Amino acid sequence: MAILKIARMGHPLLGRRADPVPDPTAPSIHRLVADMLETMADANGAGLAAPQVYVPLRVVVFQAPAERTEGELAEAERFDHTAPLTVLINPEIEVLSQETEGGWEGCLSVPGLRGFVERPAHIRYSGFDHEGHPIERTAKGFHARVVQHECDHLDGILYPQRMSDLKKLIFESEVRHWTEASE
Ligand code: NI
């Protein structure tokens, strides 16, 4: 396993659509997933998409703690790495309700910043893991947000492109001014 370099906003690979994985169980995909998991843990991220490590394939990994309250943002935030870890290959997302929810997001490809993003609150997602097992789940709250953020990477979209108010694109060090204003 290896800790991989993470591409930053502006690299062309982060702006293009990633390709489907022909065989999720291929040894090269196993190696990629292992390296992505190690890289995500090392960088203290909640999720990581393959294009972020310069691989233009439809693979994401994430670890979404169920209890994290939407809108909550601690300055020295540490993700709960005991939460269930998911490997999702060739994902599909279906929006289940018109309702949207706002929450603060960060991205390992946009280091040092946070942005307030409105997204559909309730989704169903499906795909395969790297053993070839089908995955199908519904998700709300932070879980739904992480999945949508990561899958956006596969379509070349970074969270600032989802923001409606760029006043709420801020440095992490200024988050304390916004924690009450963030609903
Ligand atoms: Ni990201």
Side-chain angles (χ1 to χ4, degrees):
M1 299 216 296
I3 292 169
L4 305 172
K5 191 178 174 208
I6 296 173
R8 308 211 314 174
M9 181 164 65
H11 192 284
L13 231 130
L14 292 175
R16 61 158 278 196
R17 190 177 159 83
D19 299 318
V21 175
D23 176 8
T25 66
S28 60
I29 298 299
H30 269 251
R31 274 194 301 277
L32 171 65
V33 164
D35 289 347
M36 285 174 66
L37 293 174
E38 194 177 2
T39 303
M40 178 176 75
D42 178 70
N44 189 42
L48 189 67
Q52 292 184 276
V53 293
Y54 303 89
V55 177
L57 291 174
R58 302 187 81 76
V59 178
V60 301
V61 297
F62 56 87
Q63 195 160 26
E67 314 83 60
R68 188 190 185 222
T69 319
E70 268 306 307
E72 177 191 319
L73 185 69
E75 242 186 292
E77 187 172 62
R78 286 292 172 271
F79 290 109
D80 176 8
H81 285 289
T82 60
L85 194 58
T86 300
V87 174
L88 191 60
I89 299 171
N90 298 337
E92 302 282 351
I93 292 180
E94 185 191 343
V95 174
L96 294 180
S97 85
Q98 298 293 343
E99 188 199 343
T100 63
E101 223 165 44
W104 290 94
E105 299 190 13
C107 181
L108 296 175
S109 294
V110 191
L113 296 180
R114 295 287 170 151
F116 195 78
V117 187
E118 292 275 347
R119 294 189 187 269
H122 193 194
I123 61 165
R124 174 183 293 124
Y125 65 93
S126 59
F128 293 88
D129 69 12
H130 55 312
E131 312 292 341
H133 301 127
I135 293 172
E136 186 176 328
R137 293 182 194 151
T138 58
K140 288 182 168 177
F142 184 65
H143 183 180
R145 177 171 303 285
V146 170
V147 172
Q148 291 175 83
H149 174 118
E150 296 313 324
C151 291
D152 264 356
H153 278 295
L154 305 181
D155 293 328
I157 297 166
L158 299 177
Y159 77 78
Q161 293 164 252
R162 293 288 191 195
M163 293 180 62
S164 52
D165 180 2
L166 287 174
K167 258 191 194 168
K168 293 183 178 177
L169 183 62
I170 64 171
F171 285 103
E172 272 167 356
S173 58
E174 307 309 311
V175 156
R176 64 185 188 281
H177 303 298
W178 287 86
T179 41
E180 273 146 43
S182 69
E183 279 119 24

